[in-house]
Amino acid sequence: MVQLNLKGKGEKMFFSGSYQPRDVQFLLKPASIDTTPVAEKEALIQSGKRHYSEMLSPEAVPDERYMNLYAEALERNAGRLHADIKTLARAIKQREETAASCVVVSLVRAGTPIGVLLNRELERLGVAGAHYSISIIRGRGIDENALAYILEHHAPSEIVFVDGWTGKGAITRELIYSVEEFGLGVEPFLAVVADPAGCAHLAATTEDYVIPSGLLNGVVSGLVSRSVLNDALVGPGEFHACLYMQEHADHDLSNDFLGAVEAATPADRTSQHWNRESAQAAHAACQDMLRSIMHDDRVTDVNRIKPGIAEATRAILRRVPEKVYLSDMADPEVRHMIYLASKAGVPVQERDLGNYRAVTIIKKLGGEQE
């Protein structure tokens, strides 16, 4: 059941989706949002007539075969993710600014389940804090009203922004730019589990692996949609909007996912730990891969390239894909992608992807922009 509360200056509304209120406060505005068919949305985006953040495409509950693939990925990688969450929590506790108190600010929505797990682990380590989940949109920036709300209640130095992974670094750059423009002493410090783009400020690994929550959408993220920002839904002083998908409540796995990760024995990840040197190498490899694909596939807009297992998966689910590249067709980590691509009639090819296991290229549908 949705948890609605009215608090803060201007009686702003936050809620917890299908999570427990103690786990997260979404600083979003639940709204009634009409969905736009995927092909229509893609054409509007590429023509420049609409920004991607202004529209939502419908989300269907995955079929039984795909849910079985998700379950396999969760069984395979829950221990790995558990270990990586512990690594992040220990590193945050070691920072002088966040050793005693940390405010986890996860980025809707891939960051939300990771933020819940991280905040719980920090509490176990004796680090007091809170967890908010807020919107950030490529090309539009962070939700400044949400950030202002957080700063009414917490010191800027306590804030750590959290996401699940880096794709090619667009959200990291957006975070740095918009937070620095916002001012008020907030450091745009981003922590992620997997940093194959080599651009986060803190990560557990540079490896592109299946973070199981990345295979699903709202049913593993508190039944909350991607954030939406348009003038019809969001007025001055309001949080960015979202759709609360209560119609999928019978299929919600958000809390089951948390329980499965925390119940799993943490894997030995000592050899995989992230550091500045590995991040620099990953960043260079990412840029080489992007240049190679842009040259070989004659892609002039890098936004059509979605690297990393999670981003490549979501591009098949939510966009109009042209092709999928995999570094190893026999890799169990990409089994679900082969299934999705087969269902959608999207060709799959094997090629060297450097630091990545998968890349999806969005189809060019015409118009003034790609």
Side-chain angles (χ1 to χ4, degrees):
M1 188 69 178
V2 63
Q3 303 291 327
L4 295 176
N5 301 280
L6 293 174
K7 294 186 179 181
K9 184 182 293 184
E11 294 295 287
K12 294 185 186 300
M13 182 166 62
F14 62 78
F15 71 113
S16 300
S18 64
Y19 294 112
Q20 295 298 314
R22 66 177 179 271
D23 276 327
V24 62
Q25 295 176 9
F26 286 101
L27 300 188
L28 293 168
K29 175 189 175 182
S32 177
I33 303 174
D34 294 330
T35 57
T36 305
V38 172
E40 179 184 346
K41 182 183 74 171
E42 193 67 51
L44 288 168
I45 293 170
Q46 293 190 25
S47 69
K49 294 177 180 177
R50 301 284 297 276
H51 191 270
Y52 81 90
S53 66
E54 298 177 40
M55 303 168 287
L56 278 182
S57 51
E59 286 189 17
V61 175
D63 63 27
E64 183 179 1
R65 172 59 180 150
Y66 189 75
M67 292 307 300
N68 287 337
L69 290 168
Y70 162 77
E72 290 175 12
L74 183 60
E75 182 177 1
R76 188 171 64 246
N77 287 348
R80 180 185 296 197
L81 179 56
H82 192 177
D84 285 347
I85 293 292
K86 286 180 172 293
T87 295
L88 289 179
R90 287 193 298 267
I92 289 170
K93 183 176 173 60
Q94 289 169 4
R95 297 178 72 233
E96 181 179 353
E97 304 93 329
T98 50
S101 181
C102 176
V103 179
V104 173
V105 180
S106 62
L107 304 179
V108 171
R109 67 184 162 173
T112 307
I114 303 304
V116 174
L117 289 167
L118 181 59
N119 189 56
R120 287 183 178 183
E121 186 61 31
L122 286 167
E123 289 179 350
R124 294 187 191 100
L125 294 177
V127 180
H131 175 210
Y132 301 94
S133 203
I134 73 175
S135 169
I136 187 169
I137 294 170
R138 177 175 53 80
R140 298 288 176 89
I142 201 160
D143 186 339
E144 294 188 357
N145 291 319
L147 193 53
Y149 176 89
I150 294 170
L151 291 174
E152 290 175 4
H153 299 82
H154 305 279
S157 60
E158 296 177 326
I159 293 175
V160 171
F161 295 96
V162 172
D163 210 348
W165 53 81
T166 59
K168 53 182 180 288
I171 291 299
T172 308
R173 291 189 293 273
E174 193 69 57
L175 177 70
I176 292 169
Y177 176 77
S178 59
V179 169
E180 288 180 347
E181 284 288 301
F182 182 76
L184 300 182
V186 181
E187 181 185 359
F189 185 90
L190 178 66
V192 302
V193 173
D195 185 28
C199 61
H201 300 92
L202 175 67
T205 182
T206 58
E207 183 183 359
D208 178 25
Y209 79 93
V210 169
I211 297 171
S213 56
L215 303 194
L216 300 176
N217 288 317
V219 294
V220 78
S221 304
L223 297 179
V224 172
S225 75
R226 177 179 55 74
S227 57
V228 179
L229 179 61
N230 63 50
D231 292 340
L233 293 171
V234 181
E238 293 184 323
F239 299 146
H240 293 183
C242 73
L243 180 65
Y244 181 61
M245 297 177 286
Q246 299 182 72
E247 69 274 16
H248 294 331
D250 290 344
H251 305 278
D252 184 29
L253 297 172
S254 303
N255 292 290
D256 290 343
F257 168 75
L258 303 176
V261 173
E262 292 187 326
T265 302
D268 181 5
R269 299 281 284 158
T270 306
S271 63
Q272 295 291 339
H273 284 180
W274 177 96
N275 56 46
R276 294 295 177 188
E277 291 73 24
S278 65
Q280 290 173 357
H283 181 71
C286 171
Q287 297 306 306
D288 287 345
M289 180 273 295
L290 291 173
R291 282 192 291 268
S292 174
I293 288 180
M294 291 181 78
H295 175 270
D296 294 349
D297 288 87
R298 299 181 180 180
V299 175
T300 58
D301 182 356
V302 73
N303 291 320
R304 285 178 52 211
I305 303 175
K306 304 298 179 183
I309 291 174
E311 289 302 306
T313 298
R314 291 178 176 216
I316 302 174
L317 291 171
R318 300 198 318 222
R319 305 292 295 271
V320 180
E322 177 179 294
K323 68 172 67 172
V324 172
Y325 284 129
L326 301 176
S327 62
D328 180 0
M329 298 276 281
D331 184 357
E333 294 286 273
V334 298
R335 195 174 293 149
H336 69 283
M337 294 197 65
I338 294 173
Y339 173 71
L340 287 177
S342 174
K343 275 191 66 178
V346 178
V348 179
Q349 299 177 28
E350 194 171 272
R351 72 171 282 164
D352 180 9
L353 298 173
N355 205 40
Y356 293 85
R357 280 181 155 109
V359 171
T360 295
I361 299 179
I362 303 300
K363 182 179 292 187
K364 184 176 181 181
L365 298 183
E368 297 172 2
Q369 301 178 7
E370 289 189 343

